[in-house]
Amino acid sequence: IMATTTSAAVTEPPGLETQRKEIESLLQEHELRAGDTWYLVERRWYEQWKEYVETGDQNSSSFPGQIDNTELFEELDSYHLKERLVENEDFVLIPAEAWHKLLAWYGMVEVQPALERKVVDLPSLVKVEVYPVEIFLCLHSNMENVVTAQFSRKVMMTQFDVVEGAETRLWMKSSDTSCERLRNVHVRVLDSCLSSGMTVIMEMRNADGTWPSSRPQIMRNSVEEQDSYRGQPGVCGLTNLGNTCFMNSALQCLSNTPPLTEYFLRNAYLEELNFTNPLGMKGEIAEAYADVIKQMWSGRHYSVVPRIFKTKVGHFASQFLGYQQHDSQELLSFLLDGLHEDLNRVKNKEYIELRDAAGRPDQEVAEEAWRNHRRRNDSAIVDTFHGLFKSTLVCPECRKVSVTFDPFCYLSVPLPVSKDRVMEVFFVSLDPVAKPVQHRLVVPKAGKVFDLCSVLSEMTNIPANQMVVADVFNHRFYKLYHADESLSCILDRDDIFVYLNRGSMEEEGDEVVLALYLRERSHYRDYGSGSSSYGTSLFGHPLLMTVPRGQCSRDALYHLFLQRLARYVRPPDPSEEEDEEEGEDDDDDDDEEEELYKTQTNGVSYGPTDSQQGAGHQQPCEEEEEERGECPPCLPQANRRQAKRKGCEARRRKLLFSIQAVNSNGTTERGMGEDGSAFSFSSQPYVAMDWDPDMKKKYYNENEAEKYVKHQSMEVPHQQTTVQLQECIELFTTVETLEEENPWYCPMCKKHQLATKKLDLWSLPEVLIIHLKRFSYTKYSREKLDIIVDFPLRHLDFSGCLLRKTGTNGEPPSRYDLIAVSNHYGGLRDGHYTSYARNKDNGQWYYFDDSKVTYAREEQIVTNAAYLLFYHRQDKIRQPTLPAPLDSSSPTQPANDVSSPKHDGMEGATPCVNMETD
């Protein structure tokens, strides 16, 4: 960039020999060093000066006169250099000190600029940049007003009269109209890859926190309505972009953390952005977070759409890509770490070897650990959120004690876990007229299925070994549990039925246990499946029945099943029985029944022929029928004739249902038992009762079938456990033994040991985040703990558990007040996040549910949904500067707009609180 030279007074020059020696000495002494200034002098003038001083005659005709670089310029109007000038042919380069001497001795042609150039450090060499980069500058709001000036943000702000303290950002626009953000404004022009012909555009942040180049979506119908809105700064919703309630909840809590928000609002972050940290995100996460905070605290938005922030998070943390539900604590952990690295004041992290205490005093070791931590980590996040643990490990073999002090950003405290579990089951007795009884059982959480049966046995006086536990799902047995299976396999939402069973589940014995399903036939045959059989669908509750092996004929099972369902299946009256002649008109029905019974299987049921199915077509029991296998082969030979006579009589009556062998899913496998072979008991037998829709409607009472009674144990209200936050903190500091997956290497034993570990709190930060570990994951179970943690809104005192002392003044400040809560409603696989937060300016509590914000009362805040707690140390709390609002209406919506949290498209979340306003 060219700059004019101020006129310098010409001084009396020294002798010619002195001039020559001084300039030659300076040329020999000065080497090219990056950042130094050198000057271009036209070669002909310089050669004439050399001739002049070498003559030693001040009156010589070779006197050069004023420094004149006219021959180096393309034109004298703009003073642009000629193209392709060559050093030592067209010009010479002299260091700044030599230039200023020549200028003082001889002066310079009026209005000519001094050709000042910088030394640049290129990848392959160091040289004087003869042709500097020419940059055009303009404002985003007035891109027609383009000027050429030296590149510097400060110069630009002066050039365009930008208000002092205004926040700006720069864009590089190349000739192809593409723009790229210039994030580091302190970088050199060469390092920023700027080239001649580029335009640098400066934009200023709007009053509503947005940028002119990327105005976000707003939550009202018109820009004018949004621009006219004036509300309490910070009382602003965040739009749910699709399962992003976890992100919104964490952002609202951080937004209402006063020291961090004020740090961004006063633009302190601008001077601390770290663009070179390899662990950081090139300042992009910090800038994206700053944009959200400035918009939320502008007081000009009902709700902000954090789309750019979401995109940046997904770019740097792939686990948050897309729109799946995530954990607010995981997002918060990533965000605090990302902000720290983007704002880390330490540009070059030195390697520091950690030392064990080795018997030194705790105070000395702790100060060393904190000092080492700050040598590598120094940011607003460390200033606000970081504290120090004391970790003590003891080897179980050699008793070696290892003490270290480790920094932390939040406390993850465990919840006291009960060893018991409450389960609700339905007990089904053998009495056919008795309704199922619902019981509430308290069982060992780590127990077996037999433990469940034992507890139920005490209530029913039925031996536990006669009980079968089953998971019923979609009208079938999803699983039959063995007595030694873990109860962790059973989820709280499973429908568990316990059946009384006096038979054997195994093959041996004179009895076999049948799993009985109920199916309804469709009115039409399923020709599309390649067969002419009827489609079926399961209904009602399945049953388990113990059946003697000798009663496996169709007629015997029919009567057994009918007796078992006596409570809700009405048998036909004698008046409803058909005469023999009536069957002659039912040939079509006979054909349908024949098709159905052709698939009767394995001796459980045998398909009647046309003459057998018709009620009036009695067929005599002859010997050839026995040969065809129409008498059950499982009966003894002596009883077959008698069974055949009884069967023939039964065929005169209308059958309510047919019997079919099926698989565990309740479906008939094609070709099962068509050969009429004997039933095999090598696996659990499943049998279906197939009902004709008309018969089901007439004889099956659905209302009665669904009825059940409640045991007195159900009347005892389930007491929700409440624990104190202090209990969780004490549990956090309890001695524990390391898990096998995470042993400690003992330097004395020279091997890994399952050492005992104890964590203690040494120092606490200004803002303490407490993570309640509601989600419990073990190798045996996964669950969410919904117990209520009673946490104080004021005066949370850590004086009893802090180890650090501060000399004569006793313990350090250790009292905290609550400022925000992140809530989680729902279970492991689904749910919804919201937050409560206290506004730093007016002290009022608000409830944030994505884009909706309502006033909150203090008594609403402590619930079993609390997941993350934000506490501010009392000695750092600034009193509210504004009075609490007197208006009882909702801050961002009408007061009568009362609704429960939406579920992000997932079920299982429960309404949080009644959001009526004060």
Side-chain angles (χ1 to χ4, degrees):
I1 306 298
M2 309 197 185
T4 56
T5 297
T6 57
S7 57
V10 177
T11 62
E12 184 68 26
L16 298 183
E17 180 64 18
T18 302
Q19 290 184 42
R20 183 184 65 80
K21 288 183 177 179
E22 287 188 11
I23 297 301
E24 286 182 354
S25 175
L26 290 172
L27 288 174
Q28 293 173 1
E29 292 174 359
H30 283 74
E31 297 179 353
L32 295 181
R33 290 179 300 186
D36 287 354
T37 300
W38 288 59
Y39 287 82
L40 276 69
V41 177
E42 199 268 325
R43 189 187 68 84
R44 189 174 60 178
W45 184 93
Y46 183 74
E47 291 295 335
Q48 189 169 347
W49 170 80
K50 284 179 62 178
E51 181 183 342
Y52 172 64
V53 295
E54 287 173 356
T55 62
D57 183 2
Q58 292 187 353
N59 296 319
S60 171
S61 60
S62 61
F63 177 72
Q66 292 180 311
I67 301 173
D68 186 357
N69 290 327
T70 300
E71 291 299 320
L72 301 179
F73 297 117
E74 185 82 34
E75 50 176 313
L76 296 181
D77 291 335
S78 63
Y79 290 105
H80 281 173
L81 287 182
K82 292 179 180 179
E83 297 290 337
R84 294 181 292 279
L85 294 175
V86 179
E87 185 180 357
N88 295 327
E89 289 186 13
D90 300 304
F91 65 89
V92 293
L93 289 168
I94 61 175
E97 189 175 349
W99 163 260
H100 289 303
K101 286 182 179 294
L102 291 174
L103 184 63
W105 297 337
Y106 296 94
M108 191 173 184
V109 174
E110 190 176 356
V111 307
Q112 272 195 13
L115 297 179
E116 177 187 352
R117 295 296 183 266
K118 293 290 185 182
V119 179
V120 296
D121 186 4
L122 298 177
S124 57
L125 77 160
V126 179
K127 73 167 190 174
V128 176
E129 189 178 41
V130 176
Y131 291 96
V133 177
E134 280 192 331
I135 303 297
F136 303 102
L137 311 177
C138 67
L139 284 176
H140 182 275
S141 57
N142 186 12
M143 298 182 67
E144 295 181 357
N145 182 19
V146 180
V147 299
T148 304
Q150 185 176 0
F151 179 71
S152 162
R153 186 175 65 169
K154 193 168 187 179
V155 170
M156 290 188 70
M157 296 176 71
T158 305
Q159 182 76 36
F160 295 112
D161 298 324
V162 176
V163 178
E164 184 70 24
E167 189 178 351
T168 62
R169 65 181 184 182
L170 304 179
W171 296 85
M172 299 181 296
K173 179 175 177 292
S174 57
S175 56
D176 63 356
T177 71
S178 62
C179 286
E180 182 180 349
R181 173 80 187 285
L182 182 63
R183 298 185 179 277
N184 190 353
V185 296
H186 303 295
V187 73
R188 294 184 303 168
V189 171
L190 185 69
D191 296 333
S192 66
C193 300
L194 286 169
S195 59
S196 294
M198 280 189 173
T199 301
V200 175
I201 305 169
M202 181 172 67
E203 63 174 337
M204 290 175 285
R205 192 187 288 274
N206 297 323
D208 65 355
T210 62
W211 293 102
S213 61
S214 57
R215 184 177 180 86
Q217 295 173 257
I218 53 179
M219 291 303 296
R220 288 295 184 268
N221 294 329
S222 67
V223 174
E224 291 74 15
E225 183 178 353
Q226 182 77 22
D227 289 341
S228 64
Y229 174 74
R230 295 295 182 272
Q232 172 65 43
V235 183
C236 176
L238 290 169
T239 303
N240 192 316
L241 304 173
N243 288 340
T244 57
C245 60
F246 72 96
M247 181 183 77
N248 294 345
S249 176
L251 283 175
Q252 291 290 6
C253 291
L254 275 185
S255 169
N256 286 278
T257 301
L260 186 63
T261 293
E262 290 167 359
Y263 169 81
F264 279 95
L265 293 181
R266 68 173 183 269
N267 293 335
Y269 74 100
L270 289 175
E271 299 302 319
E272 296 183 345
L273 287 170
N274 190 331
F275 300 99
T276 60
N277 186 354
L279 300 178
M281 290 82 176
K282 304 185 187 319
E284 294 186 36
I285 286 294
E287 289 187 326
Y289 178 77
D291 288 348
V292 174
I293 292 299
K294 287 175 180 290
Q295 292 171 42
M296 294 174 68
W297 287 85
S298 68
R300 301 182 182 226
H301 299 288
Y302 296 97
S303 184
V304 168
V305 183
R307 192 177 304 280
I308 295 177
F309 178 81
K310 167 70 171 62
T311 302
K312 293 292 184 186
V313 168
H315 176 72
F316 290 106
S318 59
Q319 66 267 33
F320 297 114
L321 278 172
Y323 295 92
Q324 300 299 314
Q325 180 65 281
H326 293 282
D327 189 296
S328 66
Q329 187 271 332
E330 292 177 2
L331 186 279
L332 178 71
S333 177
F334 162 78
L335 182 54
L336 289 176
D337 185 62
L339 289 176
H340 160 64
E341 297 296 356
D342 271 2
L343 300 169
N344 200 344
R345 304 175 186 116
V346 179
K347 298 302 186 284
N348 297 303
K349 295 187 177 184
E350 57 182 311
Y351 172 75
I352 300 174
E353 186 173 354
L354 301 179
R355 298 171 56 198
D356 191 79
R360 292 179 293 159
D362 283 353
Q363 186 77 23
E364 177 186 340
V365 181
E367 289 176 358
E368 177 186 76
W370 186 249
R371 188 166 56 250
N372 289 341
H373 179 59
R374 294 305 294 257
R375 284 164 63 185
R376 292 173 55 85
N377 303 279
D378 184 15
S379 69
I381 302 300
V382 176
D383 298 340
T384 306
F385 298 99
H386 282 207
L388 205 61
F389 285 140
K390 177 187 176 183
S391 175
T392 306
L393 289 163
V394 180
C395 177
E397 188 171 321
C398 70
R399 311 310 296 174
K400 159 72 177 174
V401 178
S402 172
V403 175
T404 57
F405 286 82
D406 306 304
F408 67 89
C409 191
Y410 51 85
L411 292 182
S412 288
V413 300
L415 275 59
V417 180
S418 172
K419 295 182 179 180
D420 293 329
R421 173 184 178 185
V422 176
M423 298 184 67
E424 294 180 1
V425 301
F426 293 91
F427 177 69
V428 182
S429 70
L430 292 178
D431 186 354
V433 297
K435 299 180 181 69
V437 182
Q438 188 182 25
H439 293 260
R440 179 174 288 158
L441 313 176
V442 179
V443 297
K445 186 173 292 186
K448 305 289 186 182
V449 171
F450 181 77
D451 295 313
L452 181 151
C453 296
S454 298
V455 175
L456 185 59
S457 174
E458 295 178 2
M459 292 184 176
T460 59
N461 293 322
I462 301 295
N465 58 5
Q466 294 185 9
M467 296 179 182
V468 178
V469 179
D471 179 2
V472 175
F473 178 71
N474 278 349
H475 313 291
R476 61 185 176 86
F477 291 119
Y478 184 77
K479 183 173 182 180
L480 295 173
Y481 292 99
H482 297 290
D484 58 350
E485 286 191 74
S486 173
L487 287 176
S488 62
C489 299
I490 302 177
L491 305 179
D492 289 335
R493 65 171 179 268
D494 292 341
D495 291 326
I496 301 301
F497 284 72
V498 180
Y499 297 88
L500 179 56
N501 170 44
R502 293 201 175 98
S504 171
M505 293 289 288
E506 306 298 331
E507 183 177 355
E508 294 79 13
D510 296 331
E511 295 181 318
V512 65
V513 178
L514 294 180
L516 178 60
Y517 292 164
L518 287 82
R519 301 195 305 185
E520 181 177 2
R521 290 166 46 199
S522 64
H523 280 286
Y524 305 99
R525 287 175 174 157
D526 185 13
Y527 293 102
S529 64
S531 69
S532 59
S533 61
Y534 288 86
T536 59
S537 59
L538 293 169
F539 69 93
H541 294 295
L543 291 170
L544 285 178
M545 285 187 60
T546 303
V547 178
R549 287 180 178 272
Q551 298 185 24
C552 293
S553 68
R554 179 181 62 83
D555 290 330
L557 290 177
Y558 180 87
H559 287 290
L560 287 174
F561 294 167
L562 199 60
Q563 293 173 10
R564 187 66 183 84
L565 275 60
R567 182 169 60 87
Y568 44 90
V569 172
R570 178 177 69 84
D573 294 334
S575 60
E576 296 175 298
E577 294 179 358
E578 297 181 356
D579 297 331
E580 293 179 5
E581 290 77 17
E582 292 176 353
E584 296 177 358
D585 299 329
D586 295 334
D587 290 339
D588 293 339
D589 292 341
D590 293 345
D591 294 338
E592 294 176 1
E593 293 296 334
E594 180 181 7
E595 290 294 334
L596 175 66
Y597 283 109
K598 280 181 180 179
T599 58
Q600 301 299 303
T601 63
N602 293 343
V604 173
S605 61
Y606 296 88
T609 61
D610 292 355
S611 59
Q612 291 171 327
Q613 177 61 30
H617 291 221
Q618 182 177 358
Q619 188 76 11
C621 293
E622 299 178 353
E623 291 292 332
E624 59 265 31
E625 290 180 339
E626 178 178 336
E627 295 175 2
R628 291 197 301 267
E630 293 176 356
C631 278
C634 54
L635 292 181
Q637 181 70 26
N639 296 335
R640 291 187 184 180
R641 293 185 181 276
Q642 182 180 358
K644 188 179 293 293
R645 286 194 297 272
K646 292 182 179 180
C648 294
E649 294 172 359
R651 293 187 191 101
R652 293 182 182 147
R653 297 190 294 272
K654 188 77 170 180
L655 295 177
L656 303 185
F657 50 82
S658 60
I659 302 172
Q660 177 80 304
V662 295
N663 57 25
S664 60
N665 290 324
T667 56
T668 305
E669 296 181 3
R670 190 174 179 183
M672 285 183 64
E674 290 182 358
D675 58 354
S677 59
F679 193 88
S680 171
F681 296 117
S682 60
S683 61
Q684 174 64 47
Y686 292 86
V687 180
M689 303 166 55
D690 286 348
W691 289 75
D692 178 82
D694 294 332
M695 301 297 283
K696 175 175 176 285
K697 182 177 180 181
K698 187 173 182 180
Y699 296 104
Y700 184 88
N701 188 332
E702 290 193 47
N703 290 334
E704 183 63 30
E706 295 295 325
K707 287 182 179 179
Y708 66 93
V709 295
K710 291 188 176 184
H711 186 262
Q712 60 183 10
S713 60
M714 296 295 297
E715 299 175 2
V716 180
H718 178 46
Q719 295 293 331
Q720 187 155 30
T721 308
T722 300
V723 300
Q724 300 297 315
L725 178 60
Q726 201 65 35
E727 296 179 54
C728 302
I729 297 172
E730 291 172 0
L731 193 60
F732 174 79
T733 59
T734 301
V735 177
E736 63 176 356
T737 302
L738 297 179
E739 297 177 349
E740 294 182 3
E741 296 82 6
N742 187 30
W744 171 64
Y745 183 80
C746 176
M748 299 290 289
C749 300
K750 304 297 182 183
K751 62 180 179 180
H752 288 90
Q753 299 279 17
L754 298 182
T756 58
K757 181 178 182 179
K758 188 178 191 302
L759 289 177
D760 291 292
L761 301 176
W762 179 262
S763 64
L764 296 178
E766 177 180 346
V767 175
L768 177 62
I769 303 174
I770 300 178
H771 166 221
L772 302 178
K773 296 172 71 172
R774 291 195 176 277
F775 298 100
S776 173
Y777 301 97
T778 69
K779 68 172 75 171
Y780 304 109
S781 65
R782 299 172 55 148
E783 63 178 331
K784 183 196 174 187
L785 306 175
D786 281 320
I787 61 177
I788 295 177
V789 177
D790 188 7
F791 50 90
L793 273 62
R794 296 178 184 83
H795 311 304
L796 175 60
D797 192 354
F798 283 91
S799 59
C801 53
L802 262 184
L803 296 184
R804 185 179 63 136
K805 307 296 179 182
T806 55
T808 56
N809 295 328
E811 297 178 352
S814 56
R815 286 179 175 267
Y816 287 79
D817 287 352
L818 188 74
I819 56 173
V821 180
S822 173
N823 302 305
H824 177 267
Y825 301 93
L828 283 171
R829 302 179 184 177
D830 48 36
H832 181 61
Y833 288 91
T834 66
S835 54
Y836 289 106
R838 180 179 180 270
N839 187 275
K840 68 182 181 64
D841 292 336
N842 65 12
Q844 170 67 43
W845 281 92
Y846 295 91
Y847 180 73
F848 298 90
D849 185 358
D850 287 333
S851 58
K852 182 175 64 176
V853 186
T854 52
Y855 291 110
R857 299 185 298 273
E858 290 189 354
E859 56 268 24
Q860 294 175 314
I861 296 171
V862 179
T863 70
N864 66 339
Y867 184 46
L868 297 174
L869 310 177
F870 286 66
Y871 279 95
H872 199 180
R873 206 168 63 207
Q874 287 182 345
D875 65 312
K876 295 289 186 178
I877 294 177
R878 175 174 53 82
Q879 294 303 314
T881 56
L882 299 175
L886 299 177
D887 186 4
S888 63
S889 62
S890 166
T892 62
Q893 62 184 32
N896 59 0
D897 186 359
V898 178
S899 61
S900 60
K902 62 189 176 198
H903 300 164
D904 284 353
M906 292 171 287
E907 298 181 3
T910 54
C912 50
V913 291
N914 185 348
M915 289 310 301
E916 294 177 350
T917 55
D918 289 330

